[in-house]
Amino acid sequence: MTDALANPLRGEAACQIGSTDLVLVVEFGRLATLCEVAGCDTMDLLYTRLIGFHPKTVMAALRVLTTHPDGDQAARDLAHRAIAELSGADEQSFRKAITKALSGHINDGKKLRGEADPLKQLENAFDAATSGNVASPS
């Protein structure tokens, strides 16, 4: 698997389809293209189809979201190979990768906007709490 090549902070995630290892990247422009190609009017519909492993949408996602360090043609060739090998057995791998890539994209956008990290907020609240942070005398 190509996890070492994927950059989760950029919205990338490794995915294995059949015997093909590839990296999916979620960027807003690619999402717009994917919506158009897959016939999705909303991001909610796109997300539902991706997580639901809708065949046309998954095939389109592999073609649109695959990235490769050697450029667009290498990414296209890799996507075509993955699409040729695609089967229902790949559902779990695809779902895990697309979820990771979408989460990375969303989290990156939140960081760019200076939005708070909910885990950090939780830790700060825990650190500030007085009743639950003291060791029990018993």
Side-chain angles (χ1 to χ4, degrees), residues 103 105-121 124:
S103 295
H105 172 73
I106 291 166
N107 289 335
D108 190 41
K110 287 180 178 181
K111 286 178 190 170
L112 288 173
R113 289 166 186 74
E115 293 179 25
D117 176 1
L119 184 57
K120 186 171 177 86
Q121 286 180 323
N124 289 342

Side-chain angles (χ1 to χ4, degrees), residues 58-121:
V58 170
M59 290 170 59
L62 290 173
R63 173 59 186 89
V64 173
L65 303 179
T66 296
T67 188
H68 195 281
D70 293 336
D72 291 339
Q73 187 60 50
R76 179 177 296 151
D77 293 345
L78 195 58
H80 287 178
R81 190 167 15 144
I83 290 167
E85 295 180 1
L86 185 63
S87 76
D90 299 304
E91 181 176 0
Q92 184 177 12
S93 176
F94 177 81
R95 186 178 289 147
K96 181 180 175 184
I98 198 65
T99 300
K100 187 175 183 179
L102 285 165
S103 295
H105 172 73
I106 291 166
N107 289 335
D108 190 41
K110 287 180 178 181
K111 286 178 190 170
L112 288 173
R113 289 166 186 74
E115 293 179 25
D117 176 1
L119 184 57
K120 186 171 177 86
Q121 286 180 323

